[in-house]
Amino acid sequence: MDFEQMKEQFLNRIHSKQLIHATFSQPRQKSNELKRVKLKPIELKGQYHIQLEYQYERILKHENVLLEKFSDSFEILLQQFRQIHAQFTDEKIQVQLSKKNKVLWKVEKLENAKQVNLSHNRKKQYLLDDSTPYPFLIRLGVQTEDGKVKKQKFDKFRQINRFVEFIDDSLQHLPKGRQIRILDFGSGKSYLTFALYHYLKIEKGLDIRVTGLDLKKEVIEECNRIAHDLHYDQLEFLVGDINDYNEENAVDMVVTLHACDVATDMALARAVKWGAKVILSVPCCQHELNRQLHAPALDIMTQHGLVKERFASLATDSIRAEILTLVGYDTQLLEFIDIEHTPKNILIRAYLTGKKPTLEQRERYNSFIQFLSAEPFLQKELQQYF
Ligand SMILES: C[S@@+](CC[C@H](N)C(=O)[O-])C[C@H]1O[C@@H](n2cnc3c(N)ncnc32)[C@H](O)[C@@H]1O
């Protein structure tokens, strides 16, 4: 088979919509930053596209090409790569090209034909694919160099993906036409901070600036090293206490994941004062209400330490959500990750609407607080706003 016949054969299969997936590899220039390109079919706005995922040394880029325009992309890919592995509905094809484009064409017929699945995120609905190497996940030890998620890190990977889904859902609430300012309070090892940066900046191409803040100096130093090595130039990490952080006038998005006890409340209070459009917060341990709680009508429950602790924790998150509603946020409590993976599984999601609370809402809140004899930290911080 010669080069022209190979192109025709390959494109025939693509145009008859038989593609499951394909990978172009072995760059013709060793120095090429672009290491490989993966292809898969997807449907966008009712039209069949081929999605090209460009895997550079450090970053990933995506391009969706209409089927009718794919031949041009194919020509460019052939100028850059010498190997193709493709899976079609009923056969696997391997193409090896010499420097002068001599063709080695191998076909393996499949016994059972595969179905084409055009849904955008067909792999377990993950926004970050579990077989694509992401430089930040490799550096953070979640993936191996070739992109496999390490067995013991799969829960972390799932958590990161879930968080990215929430970020994706929030995109429409973020400002357009200017840089978006994002803060991650209690960022720790910063799995989520890196994931957020990767998704918004590298995959979505948004103009963002992200800061992660944490008390731990060594952890922050390591995060800064990784950000520097990956050329994440709009991502910085600072050592500091959420309680003392007064560096900003306005922030668009505030995230916290498992910031301990009232550190979550301090982060929420900061977010409200800055007028953040989006708040995503997964609280951690909660002790404040557990200490204050005095509601004799609940004694049947609260006589048991374990039940009291869980009740206090759920009541705290409900109070947080209610306060955010009172200060003008559309707020929901959502399941972050299956309870079997972590008991800390409630995510507070709040989008700024600026809606004023009704008298009835304020009274409902006050009677709940009185019933519990509670004086929540967040209320003290934000009382003036509702
Ligand atoms: C359980 S870790 C979670 C880290 C990270 N968000 C994650 O999910 O992997 C909680 C982090 O919050 C930080 N933290 C707790 N209180 C803080 C405060 N007042 N100011 C800044 N960071 C705080 C801790 O140092 C710790 O790294």
Side-chain angles (χ1 to χ4, degrees):
M1 179 182 296
D2 67 20
F3 191 58
E4 290 307 315
Q5 287 167 329
M6 179 280 292
K7 288 201 288 191
E8 193 187 325
Q9 288 278 337
F10 197 89
L11 282 175
N12 278 345
R13 287 167 171 82
I14 295 271
H15 285 134
S16 54
K17 301 187 178 174
Q18 294 173 35
L19 179 70
I20 305 283
H21 57 78
T23 303
F24 287 68
S25 57
Q26 275 190 18
R28 286 180 189 265
Q29 306 274 342
K30 280 233 155 56
S31 57
N32 206 345
E33 280 257 306
L34 181 60
K35 298 298 171 205
R36 121 180 25 85
V37 179
K38 286 190 170 185
L39 271 55
K40 67 177 181 188
I42 58 168
E43 192 174 82
L44 292 174
K45 295 183 185 152
Q47 285 186 297
Y48 186 103
H49 288 69
I50 305 283
Q51 181 174 78
L52 287 86
E53 180 178 276
Y54 297 92
Q55 299 187 358
Y56 292 85
E57 202 143 274
R58 296 186 185 282
I59 57 172
L60 286 182
K61 285 188 180 160
H62 293 92
E63 184 188 13
N64 300 318
V65 180
L66 269 171
L67 184 58
E68 302 79 69
K69 299 197 170 156
F70 178 74
S71 327
D72 296 344
S73 307
F74 186 53
E75 287 293 340
I76 297 170
L77 289 170
L78 291 174
Q79 286 161 20
Q80 293 182 293
F81 295 100
R82 298 202 306 152
Q83 191 174 66
I84 312 171
H85 284 276
Q87 160 119 41
F88 294 101
T89 45
D90 56 358
E91 57 192 359
K92 280 184 181 175
I93 289 182
Q94 192 180 334
V95 179
Q96 185 68 50
L97 301 170
S98 74
K99 283 185 185 155
K100 292 186 177 164
N101 282 338
K102 277 197 180 157
V103 178
L104 198 71
W105 170 275
K106 269 200 212 164
V107 183
E108 183 194 330
K109 287 276 171 206
L110 298 174
E111 278 182 18
N112 300 313
K114 298 231 180 247
Q115 294 280 323
V116 178
N117 182 346
L118 293 179
S119 77
H120 205 348
N121 305 308
R122 63 172 185 260
K123 281 191 103 179
K124 297 183 212 109
Q125 311 265 309
Y126 288 157
L127 286 171
L128 299 178
D129 186 87
D130 62 359
S131 57
T132 299
Y134 297 98
F136 76 98
L137 287 180
I138 296 170
R139 276 300 294 268
L140 293 171
V142 176
Q143 282 183 321
T144 58
E145 287 287 330
D146 57 354
K148 288 208 175 58
V149 177
K150 293 181 187 170
K151 231 182 180 169
Q152 68 276 27
K153 293 286 181 188
F154 214 89
D155 281 353
K156 197 75 195 169
F157 178 76
R158 197 180 286 123
Q159 200 180 74
I160 292 169
N161 251 300
R162 184 82 177 119
F163 194 72
V164 172
E165 277 176 32
F166 283 111
I167 290 169
D168 190 60
D169 289 343
S170 306
L171 284 178
Q172 51 177 314
H173 298 273
L174 292 170
K176 304 198 171 49
R178 65 166 173 82
Q179 190 174 65
I180 301 165
R181 183 78 181 108
I182 303 175
L183 266 169
D184 181 357
F185 278 133
S187 51
K189 286 193 180 159
S190 302
Y191 295 97
L192 297 188
T193 337
F194 280 104
L196 180 151
Y197 188 87
H198 167 85
Y199 190 68
L200 292 182
K201 176 88 179 167
I202 292 162
E203 295 219 2
K204 293 283 166 191
L206 297 182
D207 180 11
I208 57 171
R209 189 158 77 83
V210 183
T211 299
L213 184 87
D214 203 284
L215 294 168
K216 297 177 189 150
K217 187 164 172 281
E218 283 89 48
V219 179
I220 288 292
E221 281 169 1
E222 174 61 8
C223 292
N224 273 326
R225 254 193 303 279
I226 298 175
H228 176 265
D229 293 349
L230 297 178
H231 301 284
Y232 286 2
D233 53 4
Q234 294 298 321
L235 173 61
E236 61 169 357
F237 295 91
L238 302 175
V239 182
D241 190 320
I242 302 170
N243 298 292
D244 306 329
Y245 189 76
N246 289 312
E247 310 301 311
E248 315 286 332
N249 295 322
V251 170
D252 300 302
M253 181 174 187
V254 171
V255 304
T256 74
L257 181 76
H258 301 153
C260 319
D261 205 5
V262 289
T264 295
D265 297 291
M266 185 49 93
L268 295 177
R270 289 264 184 276
V272 170
K273 289 175 190 171
W274 287 325
K277 313 275 180 300
V278 175
I279 302 171
L280 296 176
S281 173
V282 182
C284 189
C285 44
Q286 285 114 7
H287 305 300
E288 193 201 18
L289 187 62
N290 199 15
R291 284 191 296 266
Q292 297 174 354
L293 184 60
H294 176 67
L298 294 177
D299 279 355
I300 286 176
M301 289 172 77
T302 53
Q303 64 180 324
H304 307 287
L306 179 71
V307 176
K308 186 178 179 199
E309 191 187 313
R310 291 201 186 159
F311 175 82
S313 171
L314 290 171
T316 302
D317 286 337
S318 308
I319 290 168
R320 287 169 172 153
E322 199 63 17
I323 293 177
L324 289 172
T325 305
L326 292 174
V327 299
Y329 282 82
D330 176 9
T331 311
Q332 285 172 307
L333 297 183
L334 302 162
E335 187 167 67
F336 176 49
I337 201 94
D338 295 350
I339 198 133
E340 64 185 273
H341 299 295
T342 167
K344 302 167 194 170
N345 74 334
I346 286 184
L347 177 130
I348 303 170
R349 183 176 72 187
Y351 297 137
L352 183 64
T353 62
K355 209 167 151 197
K356 296 263 176 284
T358 60
L359 186 61
E360 200 185 13
Q361 278 175 315
R362 286 211 302 264
E363 282 175 359
R364 187 175 82 146
Y365 173 79
N366 287 335
S367 46
F368 188 58
I369 293 301
Q370 276 164 21
F371 171 65
L372 299 178
S373 310
E375 264 197 289
F377 179 90
L378 190 59
Q379 178 186 318
K380 281 181 254 162
E381 283 291 316
L382 293 178
Q383 185 85 74
Q384 54 183 305
Y385 296 84
F386 61 94

